[in-house]
Amino acid sequence: PPRSTLFPYTTLFRSPKDKDEQLTIVEALSDVDGLIAGLDKLIAKKRAVKQAAMQQLLTGKMRLPGFGNGRWEEKRIGEFTDCTAGGTPSTKIDSYWGGNIRWMSSGELHHKFVHDVEGRITEEGLTNSSTKIIPSGCVLIGLAGQGKTRGTVAINMVELCTNQSIAAVFPNNSYSSRYLYYNLDNRYDELRGLSTGDGGRGGLNLTIIRNIPVPFPEKKEQEAIAAVLSDMDAEIAALESRRTKTRAIKQGMMQELLTGRTRLL
């Protein structure tokens, strides 16, 4: 391996007397680094492929087999469903918190597919605040924040309630929630630009959400598009999981090899 690759390892461990052992350790760790770098590149490539597919499939520029070539109609969100925002029970009243009702903060939107959340409130907290329980399958949109949260899109896979900085777009039988999720997730910068206030630096609100136009093919085509993109997400997630495990293996190898607890020669 090149000197730049060897340097981090040759300076970290207690040098064995045998230089061959040093080089063997470095080679083993460098091989793992190479595997991680390869996974990084593959993940980046898969993400780029998914992004290109979203640009084509979500606009109707490319149609999946079995679907016609006719132009899609366009509908505003408020024409095919409705949305709501949540709320936060008073943090000064202990009896509102620690119950069995899932309560999601806007910082958890980055999970994208939300299977669980950290917060829990009680029935009393639910009753005495503006939050409300929403069904699974809502498309969630961050309404406020100067950071990355505003305009971030997710979808809840379980019933829960949210804080006031999240809009929940209700599912119904007229459209595919996953299709809407992917469509809006692909329009992050556009959503942030729709924000109220000076230069779009304010926040989104329910009126803005209801007026967002969405390319609207028939539901079966929406579902087919969402299935393709979901498969891509699953492939990327599997690679990310493999990368995480490989990094953990490398950390374990370093602890063993760089201290002499495990010997390669």
Side-chain angles (χ1 to χ4, degrees), residues 3-165:
R3 182 177 180 83
S4 60
T5 301
L6 300 181
F7 179 77
Y9 302 129
T10 55
T11 58
L12 280 175
F13 61 89
R14 301 171 184 173
S15 299
K17 294 179 181 179
D18 188 345
K19 187 176 180 180
D20 288 341
E21 187 171 5
Q22 295 183 22
L23 294 175
T24 301
I25 291 170
V26 169
E27 184 178 0
L29 293 173
S30 295
D31 285 345
V32 180
D33 276 341
L35 179 56
I36 293 170
L39 288 169
D40 285 339
K41 290 180 180 179
L42 185 55
I43 289 168
K45 181 179 179 180
K46 295 293 185 182
R47 285 176 175 165
V49 169
K50 178 195 167 189
Q51 185 62 37
M54 291 174 74
Q55 295 288 351
Q56 296 294 312
L57 292 174
L58 296 172
T59 59
K61 293 177 182 177
M62 181 174 73
R63 307 292 288 274
L64 293 174
F67 296 98
N69 297 317
R71 291 178 60 85
W72 292 348
E73 64 178 320
E74 184 177 86
K75 290 187 178 181
R76 298 184 184 277
I77 289 176
E79 293 182 69
F80 57 86
T81 187
D82 201 5
C83 56
T84 189
T88 302
S90 173
T91 56
K92 297 179 181 179
I93 302 177
D94 292 341
S95 60
Y96 290 176
W97 297 90
N100 297 318
I101 301 171
R102 296 183 185 91
W103 180 85
M104 179 181 175
S105 67
S106 52
E108 293 173 295
L109 288 166
H110 73 278
H111 293 305
K112 295 299 187 179
F113 291 92
V114 181
H115 293 272
D116 201 0
V117 293
E118 291 186 12
R120 294 291 190 275
I121 62 173
T122 62
E123 288 285 352
E124 186 180 358
L126 178 67
T127 302
N128 289 281
S129 70
S130 59
T131 195
K132 53 192 74 70
I133 295 175
I134 58 174
S136 62
C138 291
V139 177
L140 309 175
I141 306 170
L143 296 176
Q146 293 304 310
K148 295 181 179 180
T149 301
R150 177 168 47 93
T152 297
V153 179
I155 186 166
N156 62 307
M157 311 309 291
V158 293
E159 184 180 85
L160 48 74
C161 53
T162 74
N163 72 4
Q164 63 277 10
S165 295

Side-chain angles (χ1 to χ4, degrees), residues 230-241:
S230 292
D231 287 345
M232 290 182 174
D233 274 340
E235 188 176 5
I236 292 169
L239 290 170
E240 289 174 337
S241 176

Side-chain angles (χ1 to χ4, degrees), residues 214-228:
V214 178
F216 206 81
E218 63 177 39
K219 187 179 178 182
K220 286 185 178 180
E221 189 168 3
Q222 294 181 29
E223 292 171 340
I225 292 169
V228 169

Side-chain angles (χ1 to χ4, degrees), residues 196-221:
T196 59
D198 183 26
R201 293 194 296 270
L204 295 166
N205 57 48
L206 298 183
T207 299
I208 292 173
I209 300 298
R210 291 186 182 104
N211 280 292
I212 294 174
V214 178
F216 206 81
E218 63 177 39
K219 187 179 178 182
K220 286 185 178 180
E221 189 168 3

